[in-house]
Amino acid sequence: MDFGLVLQTDPPGSRTVGLMRRAERQGFRYGWTFDSVVLWQEPFVIHSRVLDNTDRLIVGPMVTNPGTRAWEVTASTFATLNEMYGNRTVCGLGRGDSAMRVAGRKPNTLGQVSAAMTAIRDLAEGREAVVDGTPLKFPWVKEGSRLPVWMGAYGPKALAMAGREADGFILQLADPYLTESMVKAVRVAAAQAGRDPDDVTVCVAAPAYVGDDLQHAREQCRWFGGMVGNHVADLVARYGEDSDLVPAALTSYIKSRQGYDYAHHGRAGNPDTEFVPDEVVDRFCLLGPAEAHIEKLRTLRDLGVDQFAVYAMHDATEAVIDAYGRDVIPALND
């Protein structure tokens, strides 16, 4: 199983670079950042510094979207980083939550995500793509440039699209029950599209907090249920509260959700996440001593998860990176 570290790009940027270096030393293979340029610093500038200060780490956004950047700009950024650092990037792509809504825009449609996925990958790998009706090709991209595009998804249509079109599937929660059903949906769609389902990399991303004080860990990670709740609210609006297309295990907890202020997005102590019960925090996150993390991750690995990406937005970032490097990563790669 691979491991990734996910960070917000809070200033100073040097801290993000330092934490990514620490993660690489501890055996993490991927370094991810949020991409919401109003709330945090521009991630791709920091990505270049991370790549320059690490040797093997694969870097990318979790996730960017088709609406805040022109597609050819996104593709050119990845292709440039790959030329400089040797195919060490990955593009996480989604509809856009905070990045779009904070700027007063609606999240992108799945159709826009699909078209952008193809265009960004093709351009970054040196092929021609049509963007806004115009055929484009980068003459400077050398043969061998590679950009895997992974898609974040929860709902049935998005899961099916990830299986048909994406190189990887990002699931932002670590509930084994939901993971099993969603990975199955992605694999079925991949097979129906004539693909080898095993060619779709599966990445589960969620907060991890190592320690014996369970209630403190819950309070440090409760924000995650609120962040996921934004996507769940979109699903409920689309499919209804009692739809058979979306599992109640995902949707039922947001019934008392009152709203969301992105000023606290992704941060411990977010006051808009009081509606998230302990049971959901326990299901969605990895909490407790290292042994509990190892047990849950082995379950996820058996369900087909290829990478666990650690959200480390809490008061023990360095300690969790080190605990994973010391205890968890070796146990999962035994």
Side-chain angles (χ1 to χ4, degrees):
M1 179 180 265
D2 284 331
F3 287 83
L5 177 67
V6 189
L7 299 172
Q8 295 163 340
T9 51
D10 284 313
S14 58
R15 172 169 165 75
T16 303
V17 175
L19 289 170
M20 292 297 186
R21 291 182 64 189
R22 188 183 196 121
E24 183 181 61
R25 291 196 301 268
Q26 293 290 6
F28 288 75
R29 188 162 176 248
Y30 285 77
W32 302 92
T33 70
F34 282 27
D35 178 16
S36 191
V37 296
V38 175
L39 297 177
W40 301 289
Q41 291 180 319
E42 163 56 40
F44 287 106
V45 174
I46 295 174
H47 290 176
S48 68
R49 293 291 296 153
V50 172
L51 289 164
D52 198 47
N53 282 271
T54 56
D55 298 316
R56 300 170 303 281
L57 205 67
I58 298 169
V59 175
M62 188 179 281
V63 292
T64 192
N65 72 87
T68 53
R69 307 169 196 275
W71 301 353
E72 67 272 21
V73 173
T74 300
S76 181
T77 300
F78 280 112
T80 301
L81 292 173
N82 282 341
E83 187 278 323
M84 294 175 69
Y85 299 104
N87 287 344
R88 288 171 53 202
T89 65
V90 57
C91 176
L93 193 66
R95 294 178 60 228
D97 176 33
S98 64
M100 295 296 286
R101 287 182 164 125
V102 168
R105 307 183 184 105
K106 294 181 179 180
N108 299 270
T109 66
L110 288 179
Q112 290 169 319
V113 174
S114 174
M117 188 185 318
T118 299
I120 290 169
R121 184 196 293 117
D122 283 348
L123 287 171
E125 294 186 348
R127 296 184 294 276
E128 182 180 281
V130 177
V131 179
D132 293 333
T134 300
L136 302 175
K137 185 177 181 179
F138 298 153
W140 49 269
V141 173
K142 296 181 180 179
E143 184 177 355
S145 179
R146 293 291 176 266
L147 179 65
V149 182
W150 296 7
M151 180 181 167
Y154 291 107
K157 292 182 180 180
L159 293 170
M161 197 176 94
R164 291 192 306 268
E165 303 177 31
D167 300 299
F169 161 48
I170 298 171
L171 175 59
Q172 295 180 90
L173 53 81
D175 180 324
Y177 171 77
L178 292 171
T179 298
E180 182 176 21
S181 64
M182 292 184 182
V183 169
K184 180 180 179 180
V186 169
R187 286 179 166 168
V188 167
Q192 291 175 341
R195 305 179 67 191
D196 183 345
D198 291 335
D199 287 344
V200 183
T201 303
V202 177
C203 174
V204 160
Y209 199 104
V210 181
D212 295 324
D213 189 340
L214 183 56
Q215 195 54 44
H216 180 73
R218 286 169 174 159
E219 295 309 320
Q220 287 294 304
C221 298
R222 197 174 304 276
W223 62 265
F224 184 66
M227 186 182 82
V228 173
N230 295 329
H231 302 286
V232 174
D234 287 343
L235 293 177
V236 170
R238 174 178 291 272
Y239 295 105
E241 292 186 4
D242 302 314
S243 172
D244 293 335
L245 297 174
V246 183
L250 178 62
T251 62
S252 60
Y253 83 97
I254 71 160
K255 288 184 178 179
S256 59
R257 178 180 182 268
Q258 298 298 315
Y260 195 83
D261 182 353
Y262 283 93
H264 310 289
H265 189 55
R267 299 192 184 280
N270 185 337
D272 297 321
T273 61
E274 293 179 356
F275 71 94
V276 181
D278 288 351
E279 177 263 341
V280 165
V281 181
D282 294 348
R283 285 197 292 119
F284 285 13
C285 305
L286 277 80
L287 312 175
E291 292 78 8
H293 293 240
I294 292 167
E295 180 180 1
K296 190 168 186 178
L297 286 167
R298 282 177 173 157
T299 298
L300 292 170
R301 183 180 62 182
D302 291 344
L303 294 174
V305 174
D306 300 297
Q307 178 185 155
F308 177 60
V310 177
Y311 280 111
M313 283 71 79
H314 47 54
D315 64 1
T317 301
E318 291 90 343
V320 167
I321 293 171
D322 293 346
Y324 263 66
R326 181 182 62 247
D327 301 318
V328 179
I329 293 176
L332 268 294
N333 290 317
D334 51 3

